[in-house]
Amino acid sequence: MALKPSKILLALASRGLINMSDQTYLCQRYFEIFHKKLDLSNPQTFNEKLQWLKLYDHKSIYTTMVDKYAVKEYVSNLIGNQYIIPTYGVWKSFDDIDFSGLPNQFVLKCSHDSGGIVICTNKDKLDMGQARKKINRSLKRNYYLTCREWPYKDVKPCVIAEKYMEEQGKGMKDYKFMCFGGKVKCSFVCSERFEAEGMKVTFFDLDWNVMLFERHYPKSRENIAKPKNYELMISLAERLAADIPFVRVDFYEINGCVYFGELTFFPGSGFEEFTPESADYEIGSWIDLPL
């Protein structure tokens, strides 16, 4: 089945092969996904408002906040270094990494990308070829072009090695706090990533009750316990989110300790559907745009 011309143009623009303004690109992509016009003059939904923020809420500090290396110092200065996962090194390319200086377990990721992560639990068994391929592919990816999330436009790509963290052999579970105007309104947990039925995303209100809506992924049928440091995480998230229309603040809870994950301005890049659709409007009403 042949692709529609509009999809071909979007694919070319996402790779920088043709010029397309951010507004045109976002409007066309929004229509392709939601089958309705993106209203930038009077945005109402969460997804619409995220697109508006991409285009009009430009503060230089946001670039630091999405840079997975630079954000460590930024966050440390605001809430303390005890919440930062230790960094072993930073390099411009995979081939610059001095693996002899790394411990047996570590994590590699890129400063400017999402998803290009290499987890090493035994250095002697690390598939160097696959690791190099994954990191090099990530280094070449232009995250700004793909989703027009402008804070990534000026992030300098580099490779970061971090301490490998796990919860008593159970890996890491991250808690994602949705902050609106500096206040946490709800949170969600991603679980069951590697199980047969696929990832689950479960939203919770401030009292840790499961919320009724879903966003792109189904909610988990399992009972997800409230983290022991829940109130602390909320307090830290609100300090990091002060004076920002919307930002998601992620934390890990590992062996009773809290660690910062990342800051995200555009979850799902504003292209993930809500079920029911009314939730898109409800969550959107929590964002006060800086008009």
Side-chain angles (χ1 to χ4, degrees):
M1 183 177 179
L3 289 175
K4 294 192 300 183
S6 59
K7 288 188 175 182
I8 293 174
L9 291 174
L10 284 173
L12 292 173
S14 71
R15 293 167 174 80
L17 299 177
I18 63 171
N19 291 323
M20 184 180 291
S21 72
D22 291 349
Q23 180 169 327
T24 299
Y25 180 88
L26 293 174
C27 286
Q28 289 193 14
R29 187 166 180 186
Y30 187 92
F31 186 82
E32 290 290 340
I33 293 171
F34 294 110
H35 309 293
K36 61 182 180 180
K37 182 180 178 181
L38 171 61
D39 187 350
L40 291 171
S41 62
N42 185 31
Q44 297 295 311
T45 69
F46 180 71
N47 285 311
E48 282 182 326
K49 289 186 176 182
L50 289 190
Q51 307 310 324
W52 190 98
L53 289 167
K54 287 181 188 179
L55 294 170
Y56 303 116
D57 184 30
H58 292 188
K59 296 179 182 177
S60 58
I61 192 61
Y62 291 173
T63 296
T64 298
M65 294 169 73
V66 301
D67 184 321
K68 290 177 174 57
Y69 177 61
V71 73
K72 290 172 178 277
E73 181 179 1
Y74 173 82
V75 170
S76 176
N77 289 336
L78 288 175
I79 63 173
N81 193 60
Q82 68 269 32
Y83 302 111
I84 306 300
I85 296 175
T87 300
Y88 294 133
V90 184
W91 304 270
K92 290 184 179 180
S93 71
F94 183 89
D95 291 329
D96 289 337
I97 300 173
D98 178 13
F99 284 93
S100 66
L102 293 177
N104 188 50
Q105 297 182 325
F106 55 86
V107 174
L108 298 178
K109 63 184 182 182
C110 293
S111 59
H112 70 301
D113 193 27
S114 178
I117 297 176
V118 173
I119 299 175
C120 177
T121 57
N122 186 334
K123 191 163 60 171
D124 291 336
K125 296 182 179 180
L126 177 64
D127 187 330
M128 295 292 287
Q130 286 299 317
R132 179 183 286 105
K133 182 178 180 180
K134 189 170 189 179
I135 292 297
N136 285 344
R137 183 168 57 241
S138 182
L139 285 171
K140 292 177 182 178
R141 188 178 295 123
N142 190 318
Y143 205 65
Y144 157 70
L145 281 178
T146 302
C147 301
R148 301 303 165 105
E149 298 184 16
W150 78 268
Y152 288 95
K153 193 172 185 178
D154 295 322
V155 176
K156 295 181 180 179
C158 64
V159 186
I160 311 162
E162 290 184 343
K163 183 178 180 180
Y164 172 75
M165 311 285 282
E166 65 176 351
E167 173 73 20
Q168 298 178 342
K170 299 179 181 179
M172 292 200 300
K173 182 175 290 183
D174 53 339
Y175 302 91
K176 302 172 182 292
F177 293 85
M178 305 271 278
C179 302
F180 301 80
K183 296 294 181 182
V184 173
K185 291 278 194 176
C186 65
S187 60
F188 66 91
V189 176
C190 298
S191 62
E192 302 156 62
R193 291 178 186 268
F194 306 110
E195 297 186 13
E197 294 183 359
M199 186 170 76
K200 306 297 189 296
V201 174
T202 310
F203 282 82
F204 297 88
D205 65 17
L206 290 178
D207 295 319
W208 203 252
N209 298 308
V210 175
M211 301 181 80
L212 297 178
F213 67 85
E214 297 179 333
R215 188 169 192 235
H216 193 65
Y217 299 95
K219 67 182 66 171
S220 177
R221 293 191 293 270
E222 298 180 359
N223 179 37
I224 300 176
K226 183 171 72 172
K228 294 179 180 179
N229 291 288
Y230 180 63
E231 286 75 19
L232 173 62
M233 291 180 188
I234 288 178
S235 175
L236 295 175
E238 292 186 342
R239 287 167 64 182
L240 294 174
D243 301 320
I244 300 174
F246 171 81
V247 67
R248 195 191 78 206
V249 184
D250 298 357
F251 291 105
Y252 300 103
E253 185 175 73
I254 305 170
N255 300 325
C257 297
V258 173
Y259 293 94
F260 169 75
E262 66 179 26
L263 298 172
T264 300
F265 288 95
F266 314 104
S269 202
F271 292 125
E272 291 184 347
E273 75 286 356
F274 285 86
T275 304
E277 186 181 6
S278 59
D280 201 358
Y281 288 86
E282 178 184 359
I283 306 302
S285 70
W286 297 347
I287 299 180
D288 292 325
L289 295 177
L291 298 174

